[in-house]
């Protein structure tokens, strides 16, 4: 069990209000005896002294919220700007290829630009692979339960001895189950009803492990797919010259209507469905 999960159930002591008592660091001991030179009266000093901790706490919370808001806005902005930047860079590369083809550039020079295009925009290119890995890590992170859920599932995933509360002493010490029940002031009837969900919790934990394994398997499949696609495209590229490859890339990028029709005529998902139907699978 992780301590942070217990903190969420009990409440974090660091969130309690600061003490409003104690010596004031700005008081030199002699200020209460003087009232000249625009000095603040003692009553007003005490009042301000009490407000300082509360104001500092509020400022910290405001700063934290502003930082979180900025991060969210930056994420949204980065996503939009990345798509726009990619589209602009793709346009520049295809424009350069078009100029080079028109100027009858050598295959060696064309190959350099084609490699840049493949790296940035191909299915198996480095940039796209890096983006996939980033999103998969984020997905794996989101699949894992929160600390509160972990605590609930762990508490319901124990044997019978865990739920004995006779070991509780007057100080409130005992096993985790006893402590939780004491904190939330659970009645005996509530305890029994909670324990009825033990089997459901075990099934959910099993399903969660299966989902995480599926995510890991998906990542491996994508790596294999990209590796296989890379090798296949590499063999096809050996058949054509760099000039022919450049012309093919230009034709695909220029014929938007044809590509839109292709999307409707052929889809890997449709192929998978047809394959499953012909084999008798559902």
């Amino acid at each position: 069990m992780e301590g942070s999960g217990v903190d969420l159930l009990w409440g974090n002591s660091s969130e309690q209000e600061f003490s409003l008592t104690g010596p004031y660091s700005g008081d030199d001991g002699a200020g209460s005896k003087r009232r000249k030179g625009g000095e603040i009266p003692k009553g007003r000093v005490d009042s301000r002294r009490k407000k300082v901790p509360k104001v500092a706490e509020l400022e910290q919370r405001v700063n934290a919220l502003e930082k979180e808001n900025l991060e969210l806005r930056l994420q949204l902005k980065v996503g939009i700007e990345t798509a726009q930047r990619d589209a602009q860079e793709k346009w520049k590369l295809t424009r350069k290829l078009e100029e080079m083809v028109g100027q009858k550039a050598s295959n060696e020079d064309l190959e350099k630009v084609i490699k840049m295009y493949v790296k940035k925009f191909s299915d198996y290119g480095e940039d796209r692979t890096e983006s996939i890995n980033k999103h998969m890590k984020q997905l794996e992170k989101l699949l894992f339960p929160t600390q509160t859920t972990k605590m609930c599932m762990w508490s319901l995933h124990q044997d019978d001895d865990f739920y004995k509360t006779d070991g509780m002493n007057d100080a409130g010490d005992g096993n985790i189950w006893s402590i939780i029940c004491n904190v939330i002031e659970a009645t005996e009837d509530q305890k029994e009803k909670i324990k009825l969900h033990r089997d459901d919790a075990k099934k959910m934990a099993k399903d969660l492990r299966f989902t995480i394994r599926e995510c890991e398997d998906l990542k491996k499949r994508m790596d294999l797919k990209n590796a296989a696609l890379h090798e296949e495209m590499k063999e096809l590229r050996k058949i054509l010259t760099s000039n022919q490859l450049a012309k093919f890339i230009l034709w695909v990028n220029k014929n938007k209507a044809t590509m839109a029709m292709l999307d409707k005529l052929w889809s890997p998902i449709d192929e998978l469905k047809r394959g499953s139907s012909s084999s008798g699978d559902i």
Side-chain angles (χ1 to χ4, degrees):
M1 186 194 67
E2 298 180 20
S4 55
V6 178
D7 289 339
L8 287 173
L9 288 174
W10 296 344
N12 194 333
S13 59
S14 64
E15 294 182 358
Q16 297 176 355
E17 291 188 1
F18 291 95
S19 172
L20 300 182
T21 61
Y24 178 54
S25 59
D27 190 358
D28 59 2
S32 60
K33 299 179 180 180
R34 299 192 300 269
R35 293 290 182 270
K36 297 181 180 180
E39 185 178 353
I40 301 174
K42 182 179 180 181
R44 292 175 61 187
V45 171
D46 291 340
S47 176
R48 290 189 179 184
R49 184 192 316 171
K50 292 179 181 179
K51 291 179 181 179
V52 168
K54 188 65 176 179
V55 171
E57 179 186 359
L58 291 174
E59 288 179 347
Q60 289 177 356
R61 292 183 180 181
V62 169
N63 290 336
L65 289 172
E66 288 180 345
K67 181 180 178 181
E68 182 181 356
N69 185 38
L70 177 61
E71 290 175 353
L72 291 172
R73 286 190 285 108
L74 284 175
Q75 288 177 11
L76 178 62
K77 183 178 180 181
V78 167
I80 296 173
E81 288 183 348
T82 299
Q84 293 175 341
R85 185 170 60 249
D86 287 348
Q88 186 177 16
E89 187 171 351
K90 189 175 184 178
W91 179 83
K92 288 181 178 179
L93 282 175
T94 53
R95 181 70 180 273
K96 186 174 182 63
L97 280 175
E98 187 174 17
E99 291 176 354
M100 294 177 72
V101 169
Q103 296 170 0
K104 301 186 183 301
S106 65
N107 282 318
E108 291 77 10
D109 291 338
L110 283 169
E111 182 64 20
K112 294 177 182 178
V113 181
I114 291 174
K115 284 183 177 180
M116 293 172 59
Y117 186 93
V118 169
K119 175 182 179 296
K120 185 72 178 178
F121 302 110
S122 69
D123 304 70
Y124 49 87
E126 294 178 16
D127 287 22
R128 188 160 178 170
T129 300
E130 182 181 348
S131 179
I132 290 174
N133 291 335
K134 177 182 177 181
H135 287 296
M136 286 303 301
K137 288 180 180 178
Q138 184 67 14
L139 177 60
E140 290 174 358
K141 181 180 178 181
L142 292 173
L143 284 175
F144 277 91
T146 62
Q147 294 295 82
T148 303
T149 302
K150 282 182 185 178
M151 189 68 208
C152 292
M153 295 182 69
W154 181 86
S155 299
L156 292 170
H157 211 71
Q158 306 301 318
D159 54 28
D160 293 338
D161 291 338
F162 175 80
Y163 301 97
K164 294 179 179 178
T165 57
D166 52 1
M168 199 78 173
N169 57 32
D170 296 335
D173 298 327
N175 60 22
I176 296 297
W177 173 252
S178 299
I179 295 173
I180 293 174
C181 290
N182 183 56
V183 169
I184 66 176
E185 300 178 353
T187 65
E188 292 300 322
D189 181 57
Q190 288 174 322
K191 294 176 187 178
E192 293 303 318
K193 288 181 178 179
I194 290 172
K195 286 189 284 185
L196 291 176
H197 291 271
R198 291 168 66 186
D199 290 339
D200 292 336
K202 291 178 181 179
K203 182 180 182 303
M204 287 189 292
K206 182 179 179 180
D207 292 341
L208 176 61
R209 289 193 295 270
F210 176 78
T211 303
I212 293 174
R213 284 197 299 269
E214 284 287 290
C215 185
E216 294 172 350
D217 186 53
L218 175 60
K219 174 65 170 60
K220 293 177 182 178
R221 290 183 184 183
M222 287 192 296
D223 290 340
L224 290 173
K225 183 269 294 182
N226 284 344
L229 187 59
H230 186 198
E231 290 301 316
E232 186 66 22
M233 292 297 105
K234 187 164 63 175
E235 292 301 316
L236 289 173
R237 287 177 62 183
K238 292 179 181 179
I239 301 174
L240 303 175
T241 65
S242 297
N243 184 273
Q244 290 173 314
L245 286 171
K247 288 180 178 180
F248 177 71
I249 292 173
L250 292 172
W251 182 83
V252 169
N253 281 277
K254 285 184 177 181
N255 287 271
K256 304 297 182 182
T258 304
M259 295 304 106
M261 182 180 65
L262 179 63
D263 290 337
K264 295 181 179 180
L265 292 176
W266 181 80
S267 167
I269 297 177
D270 294 336
E271 288 288 330
L272 180 61
K273 289 179 180 178
R274 283 195 288 270
S276 299
S277 300
S278 62
S279 62
D281 296 335
I282 297 177

